[in-house]
């Protein structure tokens, strides 16, 4: 059988321009995971936990762990944040053994706002951990975005 090779960028363009039947055909040919991230042009397109799960795909180990876990709100929120952070980081999980790379995390005020919990700022580090290594971002922009966008999940985790 002869093999047909296609450039992934061309396949993604075809997917974006296809109608529902065309998208289904392309997904069947190449696998739905190839196109799962097509609608996410930037990390700011991940606005909900459902978006993060869709971005990573159901077969992602952290998504599976989240979906198979029940427990206290803080534990579930921690697992949700792991999924959200991995998606916002483009699938990258922070490696604390690489001391040359900064790791960014949001800071919060626990008091002083009407709701009692608000985003404050973004910090960074490269060699010591002030927060769990799985809860860090690859840039200050990503940490700031997530700290504001997912404030309620952070609140459940911290409080």
């Amino acid at each position: 059988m002869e093999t047909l090779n296609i450039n992934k960028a061309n396949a993604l363009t075809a997917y974006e321009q296809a109608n529902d039947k065309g998208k289904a055909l392309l997904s069947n040919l190449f696998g739905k995971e190839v196109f799962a991230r097509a609608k996410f042009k930037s990390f700011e397109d991940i606005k909900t936990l459902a978006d993060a799960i869709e971005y990573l795909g159901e077969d992602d180990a952290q998504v599976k762990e989240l979906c198979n876990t029940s427990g206290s709100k803080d534990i579930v929120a921690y697992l949700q944040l792991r999924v959200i952070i991995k998606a916002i980081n483009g699938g990258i999980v922070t490696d604390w053994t690489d001391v040359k790379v900064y790791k960014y995390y949001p800071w919060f005020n626990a008091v002083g706002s009407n709701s009692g919990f608000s985003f404050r700022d973004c910090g960074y580090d490269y060699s010591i951990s002030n927060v769990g290594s799985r809860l860090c971002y690859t840039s200050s922009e990503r940490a700031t975005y997530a700290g504001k966008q997912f404030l309620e999940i952070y609140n459940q985790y911290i409080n």
Side-chain angles (χ1 to χ4, degrees):
M1 178 182 278
E2 190 174 340
T3 300
L4 176 65
N5 294 319
I6 183 170
N7 179 297
K8 186 173 181 178
N10 292 340
L12 291 172
T13 299
Y15 184 85
E16 289 174 7
Q17 295 174 358
N19 62 19
D20 289 342
K21 286 184 179 182
K23 288 180 181 180
L25 173 66
L26 288 166
S27 292
N28 288 335
L29 284 171
F30 299 110
K32 65 181 181 179
E33 60 279 348
V34 171
F35 304 106
R37 297 180 181 180
K39 79 175 198 178
F40 301 102
K41 304 293 184 218
S42 127
F43 67 87
E44 292 172 325
D45 291 333
I46 299 170
K47 298 187 181 308
T48 64
L49 175 62
D51 288 342
I53 291 170
E54 181 180 352
Y55 180 88
L56 294 175
E58 296 172 7
D59 292 331
D60 180 83
Q62 290 176 338
V63 171
K64 285 182 179 180
E65 183 179 13
L66 170 62
C67 293
N68 294 323
T69 301
S70 62
S72 63
K73 287 183 180 181
D74 62 317
I75 299 298
V76 172
Y78 169 72
L79 295 172
Q80 290 173 343
L81 287 172
R82 286 180 60 191
V83 167
I84 289 165
I85 291 166
K86 186 175 182 182
I88 288 176
N89 282 339
I92 296 170
V93 177
T94 307
D95 177 6
W96 277 92
T97 63
D98 187 352
V99 297
K100 295 177 185 167
V101 176
Y102 286 113
K103 290 86 175 165
Y104 299 85
Y105 49 89
W107 286 5
F108 301 94
N109 287 328
V111 294
S113 69
N114 291 339
S115 66
F117 189 79
S118 63
F119 175 80
R120 179 177 179 182
D121 201 351
C122 168
Y124 68 91
D125 215 326
Y126 59 93
S127 64
I128 60 173
S129 175
N130 293 326
V131 296
S133 63
R134 289 180 180 89
L135 300 182
C136 290
Y137 297 88
T138 57
S139 72
S140 62
E141 294 81 15
R142 292 169 195 264
T144 298
Y145 170 76
K148 293 176 180 178
Q149 182 68 27
F150 297 99
L151 183 64
E152 185 55 38
I153 297 174
Y154 272 105
N155 189 16
Q156 289 175 3
Y157 171 63
I158 293 170
N159 292 314

